[in-house]
Amino acid sequence: MQWQTNLPLIAILRGITPDEALAQVGAVIDAGFDAVEVPLNSPQWEKSIPAIVEAFGDKALIGAGTVLQPEQVDSLAKMGCKLIVTPNTQVEVIRRAVDYGMTVCPGCATATEAFNALDAGAQALKIFPSSAFGPDYIKALKAVLPPDVPVFAVGGVTPENLALWIKAGCAGAGLGSDLYRAGQSVERTAQQATAFVNAYQEAVQ
């Protein structure tokens, strides 16, 4: 399996509002990101996501996070989403998204969940919450997973520790509060996005 973007970092813009969405997403894309998710517990995501898809769908893999129900996948497909990220391993959500041709990165913690997700068609795995398990846990889990499956660390990843997760075998990471917090300035988002891009490039040299 091959991760579909040039930079294997997913911008998680939890809490973003429609009136700031385009400026904030523009900032992370300008910094080098090409995968963005808006979690479905963000305000008025039904407005934000279609606007982001229309503005940046040709430049980045745009999608949704905290997707819990197959019916949500149906709605997101109509909006043009290409990426589905979940906090858990919900087989029906994964299968529905795969049927639409979407890239699916489901959350898992154990080998059982990971293999259930892969059996359902997931193309990548999100180890969540990574900070609770640590890089050594992911390294051990990677030992039993197919070597070509991209694994993303999500939860507690910072520019300062990103290299630890890459060294443990992660293809990349999903970046939440250390990249974007609801209400922060576009300038702050741009600064953090650049820090993460630089940290990734240094980690893989």
Side-chain angles (χ1 to χ4, degrees):
M1 302 177 196
Q2 189 70 37
W3 181 246
Q4 294 190 5
T5 70
N6 294 321
L7 181 75
L9 298 178
I10 303 171
I12 304 170
L13 305 181
R14 189 179 306 279
I16 201 166
T17 61
D19 60 345
E20 64 176 340
L22 296 187
Q24 295 283 0
V25 173
V28 299
I29 290 177
D30 287 346
F33 278 73
D34 51 4
V36 176
E37 65 154 285
V38 174
L40 297 191
N41 53 6
S42 302
Q44 295 184 289
W45 61 267
E46 302 95 331
K47 293 183 179 180
S48 296
I49 291 177
I52 296 168
V53 168
E54 183 175 357
F56 301 108
D58 59 339
K59 298 177 181 177
L61 192 66
I62 306 295
T66 319
V67 180
L68 302 174
Q69 305 293 337
E71 295 76 20
Q72 293 173 327
V73 178
D74 295 334
S75 298
L76 292 162
K78 293 174 184 175
M79 296 176 184
C81 278
K82 301 295 185 185
L83 172 66
I84 296 294
V85 183
T86 73
N88 61 340
T89 304
Q90 169 54 268
V91 168
E92 287 307 314
V93 168
I94 297 169
R95 287 177 176 155
R96 186 75 56 90
V98 169
D99 286 345
Y100 281 115
M102 295 170 164
T103 298
V104 193
C105 187
C108 60
T110 66
T112 297
E113 292 172 346
F115 280 103
N116 284 346
L118 294 175
D119 288 346
Q123 305 95 334
L125 297 172
K126 159 187 163 180
I127 308 302
F128 177 79
S130 290
S131 58
F133 296 104
D136 287 346
Y137 178 85
I138 292 181
K139 187 175 182 180
L141 187 61
K142 281 278 296 179
V144 299
L145 293 174
D148 60 338
V149 175
V151 171
F152 287 75
V154 180
V157 181
T158 67
E160 292 74 26
N161 69 25
L162 177 60
L164 296 176
W165 303 104
I166 302 299
K167 187 177 179 181
C170 292
L175 310 167
S177 59
D178 277 283
L179 173 64
Y180 171 82
R181 291 178 187 270
Q184 80 180 20
S185 69
V186 174
E187 291 75 20
R188 172 67 177 169
T189 302
Q191 179 184 18
Q192 289 302 100
T194 299
F196 273 113
V197 172
N198 291 340
Y200 175 78
Q201 292 171 343
E202 291 175 12
V204 298
Q205 281 181 352

